[in-house]
Amino acid sequence: MPHKKLSLNYTFQDAKLLKKALTHPSFPQKTRLDNYERCEFLGDRVLGLVIASYLYHRYPQNKEGDLSKRFTNLVRKEALLKVAQSLNLGDFIYMAENELVADGQKNESILADACEALIGAIYLDGGFDSAYRFILERWSPLLEEQSVEISVDAKTQLQELVQKHKKPLPQYSVMAITGPDHAPYFKVSLAVLDEPVVYGEGPSRRQAEQQAASEMLFLLKKKGFDD
């Protein structure tokens, strides 16, 4: 699978690192370590450090809580997925035939993992400065979004609301997971206070929980609980 069309604005000195970063564990390997998992582990930490450093210097007036909200938005799976898709990364991932047949190249978890692995490989190949430049360039659209406002998700809003009133934290439970392995669909329940249980659904557990939290927030605010 050729990599010459993978536009990174970075040239690897060690092409083997790039191949390892793009090799899914399902692909036949000489050893169990010849895949992207170790690079993914490293890339996750490098990404976190780069984003934390950027936010610390970019927003000197922000408190720790605000920085944490910005940080979470920039390192979560959805952010990695957007970057991976902008690179068409799925077209370059080595994987077993059964994964290809199951649309593994479009699998959100695989794309996010490979994106982290790519960051780890760039760090190993070119050092921290190279990884820093790559991340800031590829995350630029997401960083611009963060400069406008801090996005507080529904789960965070709900948790802050009940904590404000010194009540027990919301309890989320997975009720069902349907669909094929490469495209699961989640249904979760949410219980908080003495309110009726509400439900949320979505292609990831996080999205299902967000939907349930949004529904509960609507009900609580309708009753004036946020006063």
Side-chain angles (χ1 to χ4, degrees):
M1 189 177 299
H3 296 134
K4 61 182 180 181
K5 294 182 181 179
L6 180 56
S7 179
L8 300 176
N9 199 21
Y10 175 79
T11 302
F12 272 83
Q13 301 176 57
D14 184 355
K16 292 181 180 179
L17 276 174
L18 175 58
K19 182 176 181 180
K20 180 176 288 189
L22 297 175
T23 299
H24 185 263
S26 68
F27 191 76
Q29 308 151 45
K30 291 182 179 179
T31 75
R32 290 182 298 173
L33 301 180
D34 290 334
N35 60 61
Y36 64 46
E37 290 179 325
R38 283 170 54 84
C39 284
E40 174 199 346
F41 167 83
L42 180 59
D44 174 69
R45 276 68 182 175
V46 174
L47 174 63
L49 178 57
V50 169
I51 295 299
S53 176
Y54 170 85
L55 293 175
Y56 180 87
H57 292 95
R58 175 67 177 79
Y59 300 101
Q61 303 304 318
N62 273 188
K63 295 181 179 179
E64 183 274 338
D66 291 337
L67 291 174
S68 293
K69 291 171 184 175
R70 294 184 189 276
F71 178 85
T72 298
N73 287 337
L74 291 166
V75 301
R76 64 189 184 187
K77 176 182 173 181
E78 288 80 1
L80 287 157
L81 180 60
K82 286 182 180 179
V83 173
Q85 290 172 334
S86 74
L87 292 167
N88 295 317
L89 203 56
D91 294 340
F92 302 94
I93 299 176
Y94 293 87
M95 58 182 64
E97 187 64 30
N98 63 311
E99 288 287 347
L100 290 171
V101 171
D103 278 339
Q105 291 172 311
K106 298 179 182 178
N107 182 286
E108 294 183 357
S109 293
I110 291 176
L111 289 173
D113 291 347
C115 189
E116 286 184 324
L118 184 59
I119 292 169
I122 291 174
Y123 170 79
L124 290 171
D125 189 72
F128 182 78
D129 288 346
S130 294
Y132 190 92
R133 287 192 296 270
F134 173 80
I135 291 169
L136 292 194
E137 177 183 343
R138 289 298 170 179
W139 261 255
S140 179
L142 301 174
L143 294 172
E144 286 300 316
E145 291 176 10
Q146 289 300 302
S147 69
V148 177
E149 61 177 342
I150 302 173
S151 175
V152 182
D153 60 45
K155 284 184 64 178
T156 301
Q157 290 184 58
L158 180 59
Q159 180 169 316
E160 291 177 348
L161 180 60
V162 297
Q163 286 179 324
K164 173 183 175 182
H165 291 271
K166 296 181 171 57
K167 301 294 184 180
L169 293 177
Q171 298 297 314
Y172 299 88
S173 300
V174 176
M175 304 298 293
I177 304 176
T178 58
D181 290 342
H182 68 279
Y185 196 78
F186 293 79
K187 180 177 182 179
V188 304
S189 65
L190 165 58
V192 65
L193 305 174
D194 295 321
E195 297 297 320
V197 174
V198 297
Y199 301 91
E201 299 181 9
S204 71
R205 178 172 179 172
R206 181 182 181 280
Q207 288 176 275
E209 290 178 348
Q210 288 289 351
Q211 186 184 93
S214 294
E215 179 68 18
M216 183 61 75
L217 275 173
F218 175 77
L219 295 175
L220 292 177
K221 291 181 178 181
K222 191 175 180 180
K223 294 182 177 182
F225 188 77
D226 59 335
D227 294 338

